Amino acid sequence: MDPNNEKMRAFILDQIVMKPQIAILDLGCGHGYDLFQLSRSADADSRFVGLDTMDEAIQKATGQYGGDARLRFVRHDIAQGLPFPDGSFDAVYSNNMLECITDKQALLREAHRVLKPGGQAVFAHFDWDSQSVDGDNKDLIRMITHAYNEWKQDWMTDIDSWMGRRLWRTFQQSGLFTGRIETFVLTNTRFEAPYYGHAMIVDFAALARRKMIRTEAYEELLANLTALHDRDQFFYSITMYVYVGNKSPAS
């Protein structure tokens, strides 16, 4: 993993207040990396549950980390509610998932319901429109990054490239939590694996395959960024916003 991405993930996870016998729910757990990292500093009586809608993600997470009895990964459509009793968890965590849910307020109500009194909500999200790529053709970069930011993939029920900057508003609208916003700017100056910016820009090729941009436009961008890398002048950044809050005692 990109070392800057590792720092960012550690920054997000450090917002969760760990304690003995903690129970943590990860919404959109992916391959289970974050829950595994949290489990490394937890005691034997702690409990970690990851939900994801993708079979492949759950299978991989279970294969990698399912040997630890404290970790459990479940395929579930998060938009349909959370399959747990009231007050089941000390913390509900999510990373880059909220934009994909159509009824965000319903999900926050569910997160609130399954939290214990005073429990934590830690929701992290990139602001996709904060992606900054240096290059020689500003219009080209703006066009391609905008197309990517607005690409609603098949597994998504919603998309919002401003979800990062809208975390605060979304939680404030719920009236269910008291919290704050933290930020982390992920920055890369190398255009090569395993850096995050490299992986993102390689992924831009999907736009050309789907006829959302011209293949020639992507090839021009790729050639320019490769040349910048060769001169040690490549630059990429994206901002991660993190809502860190607690279940409001008045709610």
Side-chain angles (χ1 to χ4, degrees):
M1 182 186 290
D2 171 0
N4 297 308
N5 194 356
E6 284 189 26
K7 290 178 184 177
M8 181 191 71
R9 301 286 276 272
F11 173 83
I12 299 168
L13 297 178
D14 282 348
Q15 308 304 320
I16 298 176
V17 178
M18 299 296 288
K19 63 182 182 179
Q21 301 179 16
I22 195 168
I24 299 178
L25 174 64
D26 183 351
L27 303 178
C29 64
H31 297 162
Y33 174 87
D34 290 337
L35 281 187
F36 170 70
Q37 292 299 322
L38 289 167
S39 73
R40 295 176 67 184
S41 61
D43 61 28
D45 294 319
S46 292
R47 180 167 56 95
F48 303 89
V49 180
L51 299 184
D52 203 286
T53 59
M54 307 293 287
D55 279 324
E56 180 272 337
I58 293 301
Q59 290 170 10
K60 186 167 183 178
T62 301
Q64 286 187 306
Y65 308 121
D68 186 335
R70 299 174 303 165
L71 279 73
R72 182 165 66 98
F73 301 97
V74 180
R75 184 190 178 281
H76 178 74
D77 184 355
I78 296 165
Q80 301 303 312
L82 303 179
F84 307 103
D86 297 358
S88 297
F89 295 95
D90 298 287
V92 174
Y93 167 78
S94 177
N95 188 352
N96 281 336
M97 182 278 302
L98 189 57
E99 73 161 323
C100 305
I101 302 297
T102 303
D103 193 340
K104 296 168 179 56
Q105 292 300 321
L107 179 61
L108 294 190
R109 288 193 295 272
E110 278 291 276
H112 176 271
R113 179 184 65 78
V114 301
L115 278 172
K116 298 176 183 178
Q120 258 198 310
V122 176
F123 277 60
H125 218 293
F126 277 135
D127 192 285
W128 298 106
D129 270 3
S130 75
Q131 284 193 102
S132 297
V133 183
D134 187 22
D136 296 331
N137 188 333
K138 290 182 180 179
D139 290 338
L140 177 73
I141 291 170
R142 286 169 175 155
M143 181 272 293
I144 292 177
T145 54
H146 180 76
Y148 185 86
N149 297 344
E150 298 302 322
W151 173 27
K152 184 173 177 288
Q153 300 180 46
D154 293 341
W155 56 271
M156 298 175 172
T157 61
D158 197 13
I159 184 172
D160 186 353
S161 61
W162 282 14
M163 193 66 250
R165 73 189 72 178
R166 287 177 169 163
L167 273 178
W168 178 251
R169 185 207 305 194
T170 303
F171 272 85
Q172 289 297 93
Q173 285 175 336
S174 77
L176 299 173
F177 302 90
T178 303
R180 67 185 190 277
I181 292 287
E182 300 286 347
T183 60
F184 187 101
V185 180
L186 187 153
T187 303
N188 293 154
T189 56
R190 304 295 297 167
F191 185 53
E192 60 188 7
Y195 291 98
Y196 185 83
H198 177 266
M200 287 297 299
I201 290 158
V202 168
D203 203 27
F204 289 175
L207 302 173
R209 292 194 298 271
R210 289 165 172 77
K211 311 299 184 184
M212 297 170 66
I213 62 171
R214 293 180 299 106
T215 299
E216 296 79 8
Y218 177 70
E219 290 175 346
E220 179 184 338
L221 174 67
L222 202 60
N224 182 213
L225 299 183
T226 300
L228 288 171
H229 169 81
D230 291 343
R231 300 196 297 269
D232 198 20
Q233 296 173 3
F234 173 78
F235 180 87
Y236 172 92
S237 76
I238 186 169
T239 303
M240 173 66 78
Y241 293 90
V242 189
Y243 180 86
V244 184
N246 294 90
K247 182 174 182 175
S248 174
S251 59

